[in-house]
Amino acid sequence: MRSDAPPETSDAELMQRVADEDRDALAEVYRRFGPLVHTIAVRSVGSHHDAEDVTQQVFVALWRSRHSLDPSAGSLAGWLATVTRRRCADHHAQRSRRERDERVMSVPSEVATGAHPEDAADRVLLARELDALGEPRGTIIRMAVVEDRRQQDVADALGLPLGTVKSHIRRGLLDLRARLEEVTA
């Protein structure tokens, strides 16, 4: 039985065509790998709307970094999956910062009126020092310590290996302690 459909382009050839600025190749990559990227994003961020944003960011990143694509460095699916996980981690970090900012803005009235000003000052100092740790360390510390989430939950939410999360927590807490001792000394 003969098929009139053209043979499917290999991933390496597709990567080379994208690197050569072939927009049709980008469309083919999206057709072929869009569902994979979207599925990874939905599982990580939990919302189809947010997953659509992540998916768009991944393919924009592919196009923007097209000149650095190297078909011999790995598979296209692997590259897209890695970028998707990173974008999901960025999404979680951004959402965490937004939620933290909302919590700070909704400080109970007793703190706002001065009932416990030292608590508010401590929270502001801690938030500033966590931001100074940078990403993803600040987000990981926030999730693990401030939000009291299990390390495995943090790793799953950010799409990072558990060992990486544990290392960030350990080093981040040491850095945070040193920074807070410096500020309060």
Side-chain angles (χ1 to χ4, degrees):
M1 209 162 107
R2 187 173 161 230
S3 172
D4 291 333
E8 191 169 279
T9 308
S10 72
D11 288 358
E13 184 181 339
L14 212 47
M15 287 174 81
Q16 187 58 54
R17 286 178 49 207
V18 169
D20 294 338
E21 299 186 17
D22 182 346
R23 291 180 188 267
D24 292 334
L26 180 64
E28 176 64 18
V29 171
Y30 182 78
R31 184 194 62 75
R32 195 180 298 179
F33 296 103
L36 169 71
V37 169
H38 189 262
T39 299
I40 293 170
V42 166
R43 288 181 179 168
S44 178
V45 300
S47 153
H48 283 283
H49 176 72
D50 291 341
E52 288 171 355
D53 289 343
V54 168
T55 301
Q56 179 181 6
Q57 291 171 13
V58 169
F59 286 98
V60 167
L62 173 64
W63 186 251
R64 285 185 178 156
S65 62
R66 65 189 174 273
H67 300 295
S68 63
L69 287 178
D70 181 8
S72 66
S75 72
L76 184 55
W79 189 93
L80 290 168
T82 299
V83 173
T84 302
R85 285 191 296 275
R86 288 180 184 158
R87 296 294 175 175
C88 288
D90 292 345
H91 173 82
H92 288 294
Q94 183 180 31
R95 182 170 47 188
S96 179
R97 281 192 300 272
R98 189 172 50 246
E99 288 170 356
R100 182 198 69 232
D101 292 346
E102 288 171 2
R103 283 194 305 271
V104 167
M105 296 306 290
S106 65
V107 173
S109 61
E110 72 225 17
V111 172
T113 59
H116 300 286
E118 64 280 353
D119 292 343
D122 288 345
R123 279 188 288 220
V124 169
L125 175 64
L126 179 61
R128 188 183 79 210
E129 294 304 324
L130 284 172
D131 285 342
L133 289 176
E135 292 301 331
R137 189 166 288 165
T139 297
I140 291 171
I141 297 292
R142 247 183 230 99
M143 292 173 77
V145 178
V146 177
E147 296 173 13
D148 196 28
R149 293 172 70 172
R150 293 180 32 239
Q151 292 174 344
Q152 185 63 56
D153 294 340
V154 173
D156 293 343
L158 298 178
L160 295 171
L162 179 59
T164 301
V165 169
K166 287 180 177 183
S167 294
H168 276 299
I169 291 171
R170 182 179 177 283
R171 290 185 194 120
L173 288 174
L174 290 172
D175 290 347
L176 188 60
R177 180 173 66 185
R179 294 175 67 85
L180 290 174
E181 285 173 352
E182 213 174 89
V183 170
T184 57

